[in-house]
Amino acid sequence: MKKFGVTVSGHIMDSQRLHPEATGDLTGLLNELIVAAKTISAEVNMAGLADILGMSGDINVQGEYVQKLDEFANTAIKRRMAHSGYVAIMASEEEADAVMVEDDCSPGRYTLAFDPLDGSSNIDVNVSVGTIFSIHRASNGCRPNETDLLQPGRRQVAAGYIIYGSSTMMVFSTGEGVHGFTLDPSVGEFYLSHPNIKMPGRSRYYSINEGNRKFWPPGVLAYIDYLQTTDKTSGRPYSGRYIGSLVADFHRNLIAGGIFLYPRDSRNPLKPTGKLRLLYEAAPLAFIAEQAGGRAITDDGRDILDIDPEALHQRVPLIIGCRHDVDIAEKFSRGEMQ
Ligand code: P6P
């Protein structure tokens, strides 16, 4: 019956109708993202065959090799947005500086921050990767600037991700719950497959790179030891599940129940605040998590959505997942549980 299901565009239009004051710009922006998502999905799924794998030889602002698909995804999104009239200014993991959309007065009412292809180091081994996006209202009118992008996550108008895995799914929220849409590649449509997603009250999984164990903050170390201790009443020990692709790890935890941690790393002075980026990784996923009944904090107990960004590529430690588990992790991070 999927051919007659609710499409993502239909769902967005239904949502817009609930807001008479809506201009349709956010709907237009999301629809442009959907087109980009379909383009990227086709390319990612062809990667193994189209011999597009391998390094493009470029290095991005993060000091990481840029794989060709990273560049493709970045260009696909920038091109859709550049002439859409919905976006005033953008930030991308693949761009050192903010990307202005128009040289003169921009009509765009929104900002877009995105990670075009997160987890790209997994592309060569066919592990799921994803696009993450975050949308805010532009506040500087005709002359947008970087401060339009540096807004706390709680002000997001919409956020979400596309996961390119065994199937391509778009999961997003405009502040009225979290909804998941699965792409039917035979007709090129995303159909509503996961309405009103809620994180399970308790987790079964924990996701963390155990190879960094010796460099975790004490609170994180104590919390992971707690999760690995047998206690039937609280469902412990949890199972470890770590894919090394943020979108894939987050998506599993969102659907099946889990907690993901990427804490700060005492070993690496270049990443004193962890590896993941605030604007286009932690904040959008935190928005989704809270909308789904979960929560997201730093490893010293600050709510991700309340952090005032200071730089486009600012990194933050991230603990995100089912609210019950994040609340306990917070107690360990504050030394209130040992
Ligand atoms: P590590 C992928 O490179 C990424 O940015 C995220 O998708 C993922 O969660 C994390 O890094 C994995 O990092 O250090 O465990 O390999």
Side-chain angles (χ1 to χ4, degrees):
M1 289 300 287
K2 67 183 171 186
K3 296 292 188 284
F4 305 103
V6 175
T7 65
V8 63
S9 300
H11 174 86
I12 292 169
M13 280 311 297
D14 291 346
S15 174
Q16 180 187 313
R17 287 190 190 100
L18 299 176
H19 301 275
E21 75 285 0
T23 64
D25 282 6
L26 180 60
T27 296
L29 199 173
L30 289 169
N31 280 324
E32 291 295 343
L33 267 177
I34 290 161
V35 174
K38 293 175 185 176
T39 306
I40 297 166
S41 178
E43 205 69 18
V44 167
N45 292 333
M46 285 295 290
L49 303 172
D51 190 29
I52 193 172
L53 293 179
M55 302 297 181
S56 66
D58 297 330
I59 303 282
N60 69 9
V61 294
Q62 321 296 338
E64 298 161 345
Y65 273 109
V66 178
Q67 305 228 4
K68 290 174 183 172
L69 276 174
D70 276 9
E71 293 168 353
F72 177 90
N74 188 47
T75 302
I77 294 173
K78 286 197 302 177
R79 279 188 178 152
R80 292 310 311 182
M81 297 304 153
H83 307 294
S84 67
Y86 305 123
V87 172
I89 190 169
M90 292 183 274
S92 166
E93 185 198 32
E94 298 301 331
E95 304 284 344
D97 305 312
V99 178
M100 302 299 288
V101 171
E102 302 282 348
D103 295 336
D104 52 12
C105 182
S106 165
R109 297 174 55 239
Y110 294 102
T111 71
L112 176 69
F114 60 97
D115 185 349
L117 207 60
D118 178 78
S120 56
S121 55
N122 294 297
I123 290 171
D124 290 12
V125 294
N126 205 14
V127 165
S128 299
V129 293
T131 298
I132 311 172
F133 62 90
S134 167
I135 299 169
H136 282 277
R137 284 186 184 77
S139 52
N140 289 314
C142 186
R143 290 273 176 267
N145 60 59
E146 200 171 273
T147 59
D148 286 291
L149 290 158
L150 301 179
Q151 299 185 56
R154 208 164 290 286
R155 284 204 214 130
Q156 288 174 105
V157 173
Y161 59 87
I162 298 98
I163 180 169
Y164 311 100
S166 52
S167 62
T168 293
M169 270 193 73
M170 182 171 185
V171 177
F172 71 93
S173 174
T174 57
E176 292 161 349
V178 178
H179 307 284
F181 302 82
T182 300
L183 180 64
D184 177 343
S186 68
V187 295
E189 271 297 355
F190 280 99
Y191 288 100
L192 181 62
S193 54
H194 297 69
N196 201 24
I197 299 173
K198 289 298 179 190
M199 276 192 160
R202 302 299 289 269
S203 296
R204 296 160 52 201
Y205 303 119
Y206 75 96
S207 310
I208 192 169
N209 183 338
E210 302 271 5
N212 297 332
R213 185 182 178 85
K214 292 188 186 314
F215 313 108
W216 296 338
V220 170
L221 191 59
Y223 176 61
I224 299 300
D225 288 345
Y226 166 82
L227 291 183
Q228 295 173 342
T229 302
T230 299
D231 175 84
K232 295 295 181 203
T233 58
S234 57
R236 289 180 288 143
Y238 284 13
S239 292
R241 290 284 188 283
Y242 191 71
I243 300 171
S245 181
L246 174 61
V247 174
D249 279 315
F250 177 81
H251 184 70
R252 182 204 51 249
N253 293 344
L254 174 73
I255 303 297
I259 183 166
F260 172 97
L261 305 91
Y262 206 107
R264 73 192 70 224
D265 180 329
S266 60
R267 164 191 52 180
N268 190 335
L270 292 180
K271 299 171 184 171
T273 55
K275 175 179 184 180
L276 302 176
R277 273 72 60 157
L278 174 59
L279 277 194
Y280 42 78
E281 290 177 335
L285 294 185
F287 186 79
I288 295 290
E290 284 212 359
Q291 283 288 317
R295 195 178 169 213
I297 61 173
T298 60
D299 60 11
D300 56 3
R302 291 172 291 147
D303 272 295
I304 290 289
L305 294 179
D306 294 332
I307 296 176
D308 281 316
E310 294 167 4
L312 291 184
H313 303 292
Q314 176 176 341
R315 299 175 189 270
V316 287
L318 177 64
I319 300 175
I320 187 169
C322 300
R323 179 169 291 272
H324 167 82
D325 299 280
V326 175
D327 289 349
I328 292 178
E330 180 185 21
K331 289 185 169 65
F332 275 94
S333 70
R334 294 177 190 274
E336 296 162 9
M337 282 177 76
Q338 272 86 24

